[in-house]
Amino acid sequence: MTEMSYLDGNMLDGPMRELFTVDLSSAMGRCENCGTTGSMASLHVYSHAPGLVARCPSCEEVMVRLVRGPDRAWLDMRGTTYLQVPMPMEQTFPGPL
Amino acid sequence: MGIVSPGFQGRPRTQEPALPPGQYLTEDFPVLSAGPTPRVSLDTWEFVISAENGSEHRWSWQELMALPQETPMVDIHCVTRWSKLGTNWQGVSLDTLLADVDTGAHFALAHSYGGYTTNLPLDDLRGGQAWVVHTFDGAPLPAEHGGPARLLVPHLYFWKSAKWVRGLRLKTMDEPGFWETAGYHDYGDPWREQRYQGD
């Protein structure tokens, strides 16, 4: 019997760019359930479903759910403690006066 | 311009079956899944109805099979827009499973092996409208379609027919399930096209 396949987290990048300007595939995320921290690109994304369901590759708990209606979207990230997003280096902070 | 009459022979104008709005007909049985497919042994499988007063009614696989069996033939409608007509199942009516459950609850939260949940009004599980099914087209229900057993509530969108069902929690207050907390409609009537919240 064929196991239901999943995609890797890179496929979240396009749908998430509809909502945010962040490149999610380059971000790190922490699983709220098991504490594993890793690349969002490593998540297991189940897309043959009424929405996208991204699961932690370690414990398989849900970290992200994204439902896209015709004129609305719902994003649930309660399974993600935080996202660590690469940012451009800030300009040199001015020293003490 | 002449008037076009369908004639007097009583021949139907169309052979197209009636589908809920926005649905298309499929002959396949698409597999949808929000996670890995649980593999549940029949030796450890159980179905549990937990009433709001804390009492529990529990069935093993053998006990489920010993209950009166029904063979519903029903149309099913997935919120992803496919419909499949005349599907054949075998299982136990929720009327049978709820018969000895003493409850004043108005809602049920179905829960599954693998963690899936979906909420329904308890009235929608009664009156010959819902089953726990274990057989599809005369064969054991495959795991990818929710086997060993799934809920079958064909008058609502198919996400309400929880795969790998493990039990019902009866509740006095409605508690939204997996998709209902992510934008999908609380009730999900396909004939009223209740796909998303607010539809």
Side-chain angles (χ1 to χ4, degrees), chain A residues 10-76:
Chain A
N10 284 307
M11 74 84 61
L12 288 173
D13 194 39
M16 290 293 275
R17 274 181 189 271
E18 283 197 292
L19 282 71
F20 303 115
T21 56
V22 171
D23 174 8
L24 196 72
S25 61
S26 67
M28 304 280 283
R30 181 185 186 276
C31 173
E32 174 71 10
N33 183 58
C34 74
T36 295
T37 302
S39 164
M40 294 298 277
S42 70
L43 300 191
H44 295 174
V45 182
Y46 292 81
S47 58
H48 294 289
L52 297 177
V53 179
R55 293 176 177 269
C56 170
S58 295
C59 72
E60 292 288 356
E61 271 298 315
V62 177
M63 288 180 63
V64 181
R65 296 186 300 168
L66 177 59
V67 168
R68 179 69 159 88
D71 59 354
R72 293 169 287 171
W74 290 264
L75 175 65
D76 177 351

Side-chain angles (χ1 to χ4, degrees), chain B residues 148-170:
Chain B
R150 72 180 297 162
L151 204 57
L152 177 65
V153 193
H155 69 286
L156 300 177
Y157 279 124
F158 211 42
W159 90 75
K160 298 286 186 179
S161 295
K163 292 178 169 185
W164 314 297
V165 70
R166 182 175 196 170
L168 300 175
R169 295 188 193 105
L170 308 187

Side-chain angles (χ1 to χ4, degrees), chain B residues 24-78:
Chain B
Y24 69 87
L25 191 60
T26 182
E27 300 297 327
D28 299 331
F29 195 171
V31 174
L32 275 71
S33 189
T37 300
R39 306 286 167 179
V40 187
S41 163
L42 299 185
D43 295 334
T44 56
W45 184 91
E46 62 174 5
F47 184 78
V48 183
I49 297 180
S50 311
E52 74 279 17
N53 60 12
S55 66
E56 290 190 338
H57 294 252
R58 201 174 286 268
W59 293 266
S60 69
W61 187 258
Q62 290 75 15
E63 288 166 338
L64 184 84
M65 291 302 178
L67 292 173
Q69 302 287 310
E70 297 187 6
T71 54
M73 185 175 83
V74 296
D75 303 336
I76 54 178
H77 310 291
C78 180

